[in-house]
Amino acid sequence: MATDSAARASVWIASGTLLSRVLGLVRSMVLVAAIGATGVAANAFSTASQVTNVVYTLVATGVLTSVLVPQLTRARLREDGGADYVNKLITLALCGSLAVCAVVAALLPALMGVLGTSWQDPGQLALATGFAFWLLPQIVFFTLYTVLGEVLNSRSHFGPYAWTPVLNNVVSIAGLAVFIWFMGADADGQRVSGEWPVGGTALLAGTATLGVALQALALFVFLRRAGVSYRPDFRFRGTGLGATAKLGGWTFLGVLVSQVVALALNQAMNRAAGNEAGIAAWQLVSLVTVLPHSIIVMSLVASRFTRMSVAAERGDTGAIRSDLSLVSRLTVVSITLIAVVIAVLAGPITRILMAKASVEQLYPVMAVLLCHVTGAVAFSVLFVLNRGFYAYSDTRSPFVIQSAIAVCSLAAIAASFAVPSSAATAFITLATNLLFWVQLAVTFFVLRRRLGGVGGRAIGRAWWQSAVAGAGSAVAGAWALHALGGITIESWALSGLSAAVLTCVAVAALMTAVYAGALMLLRNAEVRQTWSLVARRFGTG
């Protein structure tokens, strides 16, 4: 019964996440149609949004997400069911994020000046700063969304956290459609700052912030349904928030390190000139590689992390090892296939993302996508294994590992200044993604010592089986893509949106069939179990 409940929760979460991520991808495609994936406006907007994301990640993810569920789980054991803790936590999050917004607003012009030192268009800095001020309130609303979502998750109400981003994306897409209607489209990113339309900054960035606000505020409705009536409470002593802050200290330092790397990455990628791939292209392809991670991996982890935290509280290490092994194996099998499909179909996928752009504009972005997918499997498995530390409220170990990797990342970013600006973004993307594999290896050995094992033999078996099946799938996909004309300038697959979609569907179907067949021949346990479930459901086995 517990397994069925977890499965239903995973499906519900995955459905909401799938729809919101697909809409998020559609939003990015409409954004590309509006301002391009390269050029002055695209890189200005992406730099502004990167600043907002960095600050939000420091405030919300750095202090709250990784430690919040275990603390909320423990707070529910109190006489009041944790209501006092929740009220104070929400109040503190609101006050803290508002204070951070004020500080960032004062520092924003100087920060944008540092990030835009390589820009050649004299008006690009002013454009980016204008975007940033309109996007800044997102820090408050994203923080509120994170806190309310984790409160709901701790009470096994997983759906709202996964489904409310749909509202955000719908509002954002509508705002972009209005922008294109009144201001005109610029899919190739040719519009310079002097040609930027009056009111365009408020319309583009303002509607994006409105969507985030509605996403956060909608969770208050579901909070009441979960039995929590929020009342502002400014008395922060005596409810365990100090313990949360102490635990969040290491996580905050870890996220701080990663965001320093993100800002350095942003500055290095802003060397891109004209229609070279820069920060906007990097953000665009990141959405493609993070989509399967969000749908599959985060859904599995979200429905099990609370259970892992409870198991850690009971001292049931065996249950944690079992969950980590299972989710890691499922992650390896699923993400390997998707990574191989993305690599083979990088050309048609880029055409879909940049439907209205000329073919010549696709190749720089395509190269970044190929580099980005090299670390997809390692990134997802690393996400899973880190939850083994967080279940025990151990945030120090991930921080130490991440800090060492961050030094390597900064070295790679510094080295990118030795390559031409046209290749800098691809170079940085490849280097940072390969470092995920190093970080994963170190994390695995440290966690294995902590837990006395994490099912490494079973994970390793799933890994080599997936690698062999992935290689066969890649060969089949490359052959099919070549038969359809490849990815040359005159190829059918890049000739338009419809051709790219049909190419992706046909080639991906072939690759999936080859991959699944190869795993069955290799007697992969995960695929065989999945097939047995499907067969029983349809009465064929």
Side-chain angles (χ1 to χ4, degrees), residues 162 317 320 451 537:
T317 306
I320 296 177
L451 300 180
R537 176 64 58 89

Side-chain angles (χ1 to χ4, degrees), residues 114-276:
V114 172
L115 295 176
T117 52
S118 300
W119 285 336
Q120 299 176 3
D121 187 314
Q124 190 171 8
L125 178 58
L127 182 60
T129 305
F131 282 139
F133 274 112
W134 278 99
L135 296 174
L136 200 58
Q138 291 186 10
I139 295 170
V140 176
F141 295 115
F142 269 133
T143 301
L144 183 61
Y145 166 74
T146 300
V147 174
L148 296 179
E150 294 293 3
V151 170
L152 290 168
N153 284 348
S154 71
R155 295 168 182 263
S156 298
H157 289 260
F158 302 109
Y161 195 43
W163 279 86
T164 48
V166 172
L167 177 61
N168 175 12
N169 286 315
V170 169
V171 172
S172 297
I173 291 170
L176 288 169
V178 173
F179 177 90
I180 293 175
W181 178 267
F182 285 104
M183 310 296 180
D186 181 25
D188 282 344
Q190 299 297 320
R191 188 157 42 196
V192 296
S193 61
E195 300 171 347
W196 187 253
V198 176
T201 301
L203 183 57
L204 195 67
T207 52
T209 297
L210 176 62
V212 176
L214 294 175
Q215 169 183 312
L217 297 175
L219 287 183
F220 277 109
V221 176
F222 298 99
L223 194 68
R224 182 174 291 274
R225 293 181 182 176
V228 179
S229 297
Y230 170 63
R231 294 180 178 84
D233 190 341
F234 298 91
R235 297 168 299 174
F236 302 132
R237 293 182 178 273
T239 55
L241 287 173
T244 301
K246 183 178 179 181
L247 289 168
W250 288 110
T251 306
F252 176 79
L253 290 175
V255 175
L256 177 62
V257 168
S258 69
Q259 298 312 301
V260 168
V261 173
L263 290 176
L265 176 147
N266 192 320
Q267 185 182 32
M269 289 184 179
N270 274 340
R271 293 174 57 212
N275 290 315
E276 297 173 349

Side-chain angles (χ1 to χ4, degrees), residues 466-501:
S466 299
V468 172
S473 177
V475 171
W479 170 82
L481 183 61
H482 178 73
L484 293 173
I487 55 172
T488 63
I489 291 180
E490 302 296 331
S491 68
W492 179 74
L494 302 185
S495 61
L497 179 61
S498 299
V501 170

Side-chain angles (χ1 to χ4, degrees), residues 414-431:
S416 71
F417 285 89
V419 303
S421 61
S422 59
T425 299
F427 178 90
I428 296 170
T429 304
L430 179 61

